[in-house]
Amino acid sequence: MAPSGDRLTGLDASFLHLETPSSHMHVAGVMLLDGSPPAHEDLVEAISSRLHLVPRYRQRLAFVPFEQGRPRWVDDPHLNLNYHVRTTALPAPGSENQLKALAGRVFSQQLDRDKPLWELWVVEGLDGGERFAVLSKTHHALVDGISGVDIMSVLFDTSPEPEAPPDPGKRWLPRPLPSRTQLLAEALIERATVPAEVVRGVRAVFRAPRRIASAAVGSLAGIGAMAWAGINPAPTSPYNVPIGPHRRFTWVRVSLADVKAIKGALGGTVNDVMLAIVAGGLGRDLRRRGVDVRGLELKAMVPVSVRAQEARGALGNQVAAMMAPLPVGADDAVTRFETIGTAMKRLKEGGQAVGAKVMTDLSGFAPPNIMSQAARVVARQRFFNVVVTNVPGPQFPLYLMGREMTEAFPMVPLLDRQSLGVAIMSYNGRINFGLVGDYDVMADIDQLAKDFRASLLELAEAAGVELTVSEPVRTRGRNGHRPRRRVGTPEAVPAPDSQ
């Protein structure tokens, strides 16, 4: 039998089924670090010494013949870290725009399913060598946003002096690859035995009738909310059109202190502020495209982590989702903010995220061939216009072999007919947007980034908050402090470097 926990969950497997030649299901990010990068050989050795802390990084997928079971993780007998850890360089002058273009090309390539599903790209030559970048790619079947942050914390240090990793114990030797016959037999045995385990689990739950009654009511209410969201499709928009395999990537810098100040002045949550920025930015973009936005309310799919605190650091996906409104037709920033805050509070109280979690759990009982067809059917439906994911990162600096990571910009994958994705990540006093778009549909994605900045400024002015914006090129002044400047108008934000 397969070792416990090596079989993909229904949700993890769904990310494999959703992948098409035009829709890549890897999460990714761009990390900026001070100084010059470590030598390639030293970095590979450092990662190798910590790989036992994230054993999935040395495993690949094994697929069950005839789709009679979900894939499972197996040790890769040909693991070669030089394939997964790559080094490249920007041509002079090494601008951020050049880095964004490179990131878009790297993120356009699917991960090879015959190898462990991750890559790290070290990019030299940023700002003429004053900084370097690390591009990360990990398949969504392996990791969600919350556990992804935990993995990053494992691979990085919390102090400039690298810490010795824990002793891995015995030297790792990959287990033999299972044969097709063995994979099929394991899957058929599990299919016959898992229902019995479910029955025993139900009996155990019913020993606490008060608890099960409360949970059942909450789950039914949540499923009803999700069903209502499903029969009310999202409106048509320029973002929901067929896409190709190529990507553009850019980012927007925001201060977490500024967002908290806006939240404090207007009420609500940090997530409400970020969604209001998205709504304002998309409204500006749609008006520029000639779309009549009067009364228009787009739908955002907002992933919500349901990972227990004690499960942080474990790989795999433990997420649910809520459908949040984006009132792009509202001209007033406060109106957008209050509309979003009221709706999000109602969605949380209505248990929509609970319903999504129950439904994804149930998908684990569907045969894989049915899951595959269902995932593609769902992807073609217009339940939402755009994905907006907000991942809380560590609020302390991280170091890669003594080099401080100053900023991080996340990327969320695009589904079919989803030409734009918005990922948000907080890290060490910042809360930055990563915007990914189809290469052709979102050719003006850098202008959209300016729209997001303008939306942030409009919201800050309404809240009486004066924004602080870090310089995009030099992360530290000559005195060692990060330079900051006051911003009064959207035009005062530095324009992206020209390539």
Side-chain angles (χ1 to χ4, degrees):
M1 288 291 293
S4 176
D6 281 352
R7 181 78 60 195
L8 266 67
T9 67
L11 180 58
D12 291 343
S14 71
F15 292 111
L16 296 176
H17 300 316
L18 286 170
E19 195 160 42
T20 70
S22 297
S23 183
H24 325 310
M25 287 293 106
H26 51 256
V27 293
V30 176
M31 293 161 277
L32 305 186
L33 297 95
D34 277 337
S36 58
H40 176 79
E41 297 77 9
D42 295 339
L43 179 59
V44 169
E45 182 179 350
I47 292 176
S48 177
S49 70
R50 301 182 181 215
L51 211 55
H52 64 284
L53 300 175
V54 280
R56 284 281 186 263
Y57 272 44
R58 57 193 184 194
Q59 293 183 312
R60 47 165 287 191
L61 289 173
F63 292 87
V64 179
F66 314 115
E67 294 190 332
Q68 292 302 300
R70 297 189 301 276
R72 76 172 176 92
W73 298 105
V74 297
D75 291 344
D76 182 5
H78 308 295
L79 178 65
N80 182 356
L81 289 184
N82 285 307
Y83 172 86
H84 296 277
V85 183
R86 308 181 183 188
T87 301
T88 187
L90 298 174
S95 69
E96 285 197 358
N97 258 18
Q98 291 173 312
L99 176 61
K100 292 173 184 177
L102 174 63
R105 289 193 292 270
V106 170
F107 297 161
S108 298
Q109 305 300 316
Q110 289 189 351
L111 292 162
D112 187 343
R113 292 191 182 185
D114 291 330
K115 300 181 184 299
L117 295 177
W118 64 277
E119 292 175 5
L120 283 179
W121 292 66
V122 177
V123 184
E124 303 176 355
L126 183 60
D127 300 337
E130 294 185 10
R131 294 187 295 168
F132 69 100
V134 174
L135 313 183
S136 67
K137 291 170 58 178
T138 308
H139 200 285
H140 217 323
L142 170 63
V143 60
D144 63 42
I146 295 295
S147 60
V149 172
D150 294 336
I151 291 172
M152 187 176 68
S153 299
V154 167
L155 296 179
F156 282 68
D157 294 303
T158 57
S159 67
E161 294 298 325
E163 299 178 4
D167 186 356
K170 294 189 301 182
R171 176 171 171 263
W172 177 73
L173 293 174
R175 291 170 291 186
L177 288 176
S179 66
R180 287 172 54 85
T181 302
Q182 183 179 349
L183 289 169
L184 181 59
E186 290 171 351
L188 294 177
I189 291 173
E190 285 184 22
R191 181 176 296 181
T193 58
V194 166
E197 294 296 326
V198 173
V199 170
R200 283 195 290 271
V202 170
R203 288 180 187 147
V205 169
F206 271 98
R207 294 191 185 105
R210 186 175 303 175
R211 182 181 61 181
I212 187 60
S214 175
V217 170
S219 296
L220 288 172
I223 292 173
M226 285 298 295
W228 177 252
I231 62 177
N232 288 273
T236 58
S237 84
Y239 310 123
N240 305 116
V241 295
I243 64 172
H246 306 296
R247 302 289 178 262
R248 295 181 188 268
F249 186 70
T250 190
W251 52 74
V252 181
R253 292 176 167 90
V254 183
S255 163
L256 182 58
D258 291 345
V259 171
K260 289 183 175 179
I262 294 171
K263 172 188 75 86
L266 299 180
T269 67
V270 166
N271 204 46
D272 295 341
V273 176
M274 305 310 286
L275 288 173
I277 294 171
V278 174
L282 294 183
R284 287 172 174 266
D285 180 66
L286 290 171
R287 292 184 186 95
R288 190 172 57 255
R289 293 171 182 262
V291 177
D292 184 0
V293 298
R294 289 175 297 180
L296 181 60
E297 189 173 272
L298 301 184
K299 285 187 178 182
M301 194 273 277
V302 182
V304 179
S305 174
V306 291
R307 183 181 300 276
Q309 185 65 30
E310 58 270 18
R312 285 181 65 87
L315 302 187
N317 292 273
Q318 296 186 30
V319 294
M322 291 192 293
M323 302 301 172
L326 296 175
V328 297
D331 293 328
D332 180 65
V334 175
T335 300
R336 291 194 294 269
F337 179 80
E338 291 178 345
T339 300
I340 290 169
T342 300
M344 293 301 288
K345 183 178 180 181
R346 184 174 65 250
L347 290 175
K348 293 173 185 175
E349 291 173 348
Q352 190 184 99
V354 175
K357 177 63 166 60
V358 171
M359 294 175 79
T360 55
D361 284 347
L362 290 175
S363 71
F365 295 98
N369 53 354
I370 295 178
M371 283 179 56
S372 177
Q373 297 169 22
R376 291 186 172 91
V377 168
V378 169
R380 288 194 290 268
Q381 307 307 307
R382 200 171 63 247
F383 294 113
F384 53 89
N385 300 104
V386 63
V387 174
V388 181
T389 179
N390 191 351
V391 177
Q395 293 307 305
F396 47 83
L398 297 177
Y399 300 84
L400 177 64
M401 300 180 67
R403 287 82 165 170
E404 181 181 353
M405 184 176 80
T406 55
E407 298 180 276
F409 305 98
M411 191 216 78
V412 63
L414 299 181
L415 295 171
D416 283 338
R417 303 187 68 83
Q418 301 284 327
S419 68
L420 173 67
V422 180
I424 306 166
M425 179 177 171
S426 60
Y427 165 67
N428 196 27
R430 297 176 181 269
I431 182 164
N432 292 334
F433 290 89
L435 307 181
V436 64
D438 175 78
Y439 190 86
D440 297 313
V441 179
M442 298 302 300
D444 59 348
I445 196 168
D446 285 322
Q447 180 59 51
L448 179 63
K450 294 179 183 179
D451 292 331
F452 273 50
R453 295 186 185 100
S455 177
L456 166 64
L457 177 62
E458 188 179 6
L459 196 60
E461 288 178 341
V465 174
E466 190 174 8
L467 294 179
T468 58
V469 178
S470 294
E471 293 287 354
V473 177
R474 292 190 61 85
T475 56
R476 295 191 181 277
R478 296 188 180 183
N479 59 0
H481 298 295
R482 293 178 184 169
R484 290 195 177 273
R485 54 140 94 210
R486 298 292 178 183
V487 176
T489 64
E491 290 74 21
V493 179
D497 300 332
S498 60
Q499 285 188 307

